[in-house]
Amino acid sequence: MEYPEFKGKTAMASGGASGMALLFLQKMAAEGANVVLVDVNAEAVEAAAEDIRKKGGNAIAVQADVRKYADLERAAKLAVEKFGRIDYLMNAAGGSSQRIWKQSGGFINCTPESIEWGIDVNLKGAVLFTRAVLGQMFEQHYGVIINMGSIDGVTGAMGIDYTAAKCGMIGLSQGTANYGADHGVRSVCISPGPVLTRAAMANMRTLLGRAAEVEEVVNLILYVCSDKGAFITGCNYLIDGGRSCAASRF
């Protein structure tokens, strides 16, 4: 599917050096959008932006920690200075604190530091980045903010801080949709089930018997951002292969 309306627009994403965020920006660039890759890993995000530029796209890289508002404000200002506007923001930075901090034994054995990291990166960063771009979107009277949730934010999971943060992404999307409606700003939460961003995701069961390809989730995000999705705001889209309704089968 082609989206000519993306040409000349500007898309940003946190966690932009890899995974769904990177593919989203790559596809946006291929449609003629300017893209801003934001990631905590300076080397990886610059390499990803350079790859887009080599393929003819307009891309800049910004090293930023989503837990720090000053970093996100700087990223937003750079986007406007370089491209004149911010049309799409994908809040995608995050991950399981227990996996990333290599902690086992369940939530009661997690350190307070890892729990704070989980809430800050998975939720607070999205709130702060939304704050950093909304002024520009209001000025343009146009914008779409995509918040990456998770099936765990709907059904619950043993990683309590992750579940709480991803549930919060639904509330963030609803609140932003209400706040932005009079200014032409939409906001939607996308909550995937298992996605093949990591090989281990293939082990999570779904009604369809497989995990999602990254492109399947990104294609939904592109549709929501496009003119075809212009009536979509304030909702949570589950794209989980039926996992959320299959508890009695697994």
Side-chain angles (χ1 to χ4, degrees):
M1 187 176 292
E2 296 182 354
Y3 297 104
E5 64 266 39
F6 293 154
K7 186 174 183 180
K9 299 286 182 63
T10 301
M12 304 182 71
S14 64
S18 63
M20 288 180 280
L22 177 56
L23 183 58
F24 166 72
L25 294 174
Q26 289 170 334
K27 284 181 172 286
M28 276 283 183
E31 295 285 354
N34 308 304
V35 299
V36 183
L37 292 74
V38 180
D39 200 280
V40 71
N41 187 323
E43 183 176 341
V45 74
E46 181 52 51
E50 177 60 22
D51 183 64
I52 291 173
R53 291 192 291 267
K54 285 180 179 178
K55 294 175 181 176
N58 294 321
I60 59 173
V62 183
Q63 189 279 330
D65 185 337
V66 295
R67 298 172 295 176
K68 299 177 180 178
Y69 182 74
D71 282 10
L72 301 176
E73 184 178 45
R74 173 173 54 85
K77 287 181 177 179
L78 284 172
V80 175
E81 289 172 4
K82 179 70 174 177
F83 301 124
R85 55 190 297 120
I86 301 170
D87 299 283
Y88 312 103
L89 171 65
M90 179 180 177
N91 283 310
S96 165
S97 61
Q98 293 182 42
R99 175 176 59 84
I100 291 170
W101 285 64
K102 297 180 173 60
Q103 295 180 340
S104 60
F107 184 73
I108 61 173
N109 292 303
C110 293
T111 63
E113 292 79 12
S114 73
I115 294 169
E116 289 177 3
W117 181 94
I119 296 294
D120 287 353
V121 174
N122 287 298
L123 178 58
K124 188 178 83 172
V127 176
L128 294 177
F129 214 165
T130 297
R131 168 64 178 83
V133 304
L134 268 183
Q136 178 63 35
M137 288 182 172
F138 279 17
E139 185 177 318
Q140 298 166 185
H141 206 72
Y142 181 85
V144 182
I145 297 176
I146 301 293
N147 296 309
M148 293 306 299
S150 166
I151 185 177
D152 290 349
V154 177
T155 62
M158 301 294 278
I160 292 177
D161 58 293
Y162 184 78
T163 290
K166 291 304 184 180
C167 184
M169 294 291 261
I170 299 173
L172 172 60
S173 303
Q174 293 171 334
T176 305
N178 273 283
Y179 188 67
D182 293 339
H183 303 275
V185 175
R186 298 187 289 118
S187 184
V188 174
C189 187
I190 304 292
S191 293
V195 184
L196 293 173
T197 51
R198 293 185 297 114
M201 292 293 99
N203 298 324
M204 292 180 65
R205 299 174 69 184
T206 70
L207 283 182
L208 299 182
R210 64 177 179 85
E213 298 290 340
V214 175
E215 187 169 20
E216 291 178 292
V217 180
V218 171
N219 284 343
L220 172 60
I221 295 169
L222 292 171
Y223 180 86
V224 170
C225 288
S226 76
D227 291 348
K228 297 177 180 65
F231 199 59
I232 302 170
T233 194
C235 59
N236 178 44
Y237 269 104
L238 272 169
I239 177 167
D240 68 347
R243 183 177 171 88
S244 59
C245 69
S248 64
R249 296 178 56 135
F250 298 155

